[in-house]
């Protein structure tokens, strides 16, 4: 978790190199649970700006 000034900074903090292993893990999990094969998924982000409430970013 990174403490950043705002939502935009939080979105930029997750580098493309990080998304690849996350996507691979999601693919692996979905492959192991065949009953979810027809379900879609999304990648959400929880931004936690200092001194503010967390912000949920859908489909980050």
């Amino acid at each position: 978790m990174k403490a950043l000034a705002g939502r935009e900074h939080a979105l930029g903090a997750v580098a493309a190199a990080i998304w690849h292993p996350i996507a691979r893990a999601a693919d692996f999990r979905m492959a192991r649970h065949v009953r979810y094969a027809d379900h879609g998924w999304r990648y959400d982000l929880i931004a936690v700006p200092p001194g503010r409430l967390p912000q949920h970013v859908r489909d980050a």
Side-chain angles (χ1 to χ4, degrees):
M1 178 169 20
K2 296 183 179 187
L4 299 168
R7 179 178 175 158
E8 297 78 27
H9 287 99
L11 289 171
V14 183
I18 299 299
W19 286 114
H20 182 70
I22 292 171
R24 283 186 30 215
D27 288 339
F28 178 76
R29 176 152 175 84
M30 295 299 273
R32 291 192 58 196
H33 297 279
V34 180
R35 66 179 176 232
Y36 298 122
D38 293 333
H39 292 85
W41 66 84
R42 67 176 190 238
Y43 301 102
D44 290 6
L45 177 95
I46 304 297
V48 186
R52 297 181 142 178
L53 293 173
Q55 299 174 7
H56 178 214
V57 182
R58 295 176 71 152
D59 284 328

